[in-house]
Amino acid sequence: MDIDVIIIGSGAAGVQAAIHAARKKVRVVMIGKPDNSALMKAHIENYFGVAMATGQELLLRGIKQAEGFGATFYPEEVIGIEISEDGFHIRTDSLKEFHSKAVVLAMGISRNKLNVEGEEEFHGMGVSYCANCDAGFFKKRPVAVVGDGSAAAVSALLLKDYASKVYWVAETVKASAELLEQVKASEIEMVEGSRPLRIIGDKTVKAIELKDGRQLEVDGVFIEMGAKGAAELAMELGVLPDDNGSLPVDRNCRTEAQGVFACGDITGQPWQLAKAVGEGCLAGLAAAAFVRKEKE
Ligand SMILES: Cc1cc2nc3c(=O)[nH]c(=O)nc-3n(C[C@H](O)[C@H](O)[C@H](O)COP(=O)(O)OP(=O)(O)OC[C@H]3O[C@@H](n4cnc5c(N)ncnc54)[C@H](O)[C@@H]3O)c2cc1C
């Protein structure tokens, strides 16, 4: 199938890119499984004009909106992408093939897991991968942050303004000296030298047990172990991730490769809906403008 703009990813960034590109009257296809979007498990309360909504609600409405403007949506996975003579050749897991003049990469990130008992079961029920998103749900309640690096320290420092008690569980602390100083000057309790064995609860989290036998009574466990980007597909297009695994883009969400744009969590922190949507808008507009110029 021959089209103008292919958007890989149907999360917040991809959907917004589809809306803005389609309104510029170029042929747009968006590919991605909404169930794999970070938004599907989110409860949003920090997005402009939306006091409280489920991410799922916003996403499904957004996809309909994009289709209403003429974008075609395929809930599939892209398994291969190649640069061709006059654009890009894309294959999906149902073996559909597309040819496009521009590509928008909006594949999000997958947060690194602890891989312990209870982590999956209590995800969204006390287990969180985003302190920025979920700190507000733990006002005056005890929480633990798990992770060795600066991201874990930043989350612990944020959570101390909400939670009744913050434990920072780190096997080997690797945060910057400045952050470490701030943590030490606060009431955050550092629990060093061990890692979690399992997360315990009934309907929601009640405690975290460490390998050395210690048990911390907490209502929330924030896992800050970094994230993986969908770097492989990007590299097939010659777009190299930076040291944090994010795709570098300019002010208009252009990557260093001609005709390739990127937006959302895949371009780096903050991993937030507002940033993903803003970048989706820029990428969609820039991709449509690129195609129009190529056609002239
Ligand atoms: C539990 C949780 C709570 C959150 N709460 C908040 C909050 O309160 N406020 C806030 O601002 N943010 C919150 N976030 C963050 C927010 O959801 C993300 O920042 C946002 O969804 C990022 O949008 P995105 O489009 O970049 O990525 P995603 O929404 O993750 O979408 C990525 C898309 O790419 C697709 N994809 C990946 N690989 C491929 C492939 N090979 N082929 C095709 N498609 C592919 C996926 O299927 C998915 O559709 C939360 C996140 C989580 C996990």
Side-chain angles (χ1 to χ4, degrees), residues 232-289:
E232 262 174 48
L233 285 178
M235 287 201 286
E236 284 174 38
L237 299 174
V239 181
L240 298 181
D242 64 19
D243 291 346
N244 299 315
S246 307
L247 302 186
V249 287
D250 71 7
R251 174 72 184 81
N252 289 310
C253 289
R254 286 183 296 223
T255 70
E256 60 195 322
Q258 160 113 331
V260 182
F261 305 81
C263 51
D265 285 359
I266 201 171
T267 69
Q269 300 241 30
W271 297 323
Q272 289 281 280
L273 176 60
K275 183 247 186 198
V277 164
E279 286 191 353
C281 158
L282 291 168
L285 290 175

Side-chain angles (χ1 to χ4, degrees), residues 8-15 31-47 59 76-79 106-109 111 123-124 127-130 132-134 137 230 233 263-266 270-274 276:
I8 308 179
S10 61
V15 171
I31 305 172
K33 296 182 177 164
D35 279 354
N36 295 340
S37 159
L39 262 188
M40 286 308 260
K41 290 207 164 165
H43 291 266
I44 303 294
E45 60 171 15
N46 62 351
Y47 186 67
L59 193 54
E76 301 183 17
E77 292 258 307
V78 170
I79 55 166
M107 289 95 84
I109 49 155
R111 286 161 171 85
H123 184 194
V127 171
S128 169
Y129 297 86
C130 178
N132 259 327
C133 312
D134 294 335
F137 297 117
L233 285 178
C263 51
D265 285 359
I266 201 171
W271 297 323
Q272 289 281 280
L273 176 60

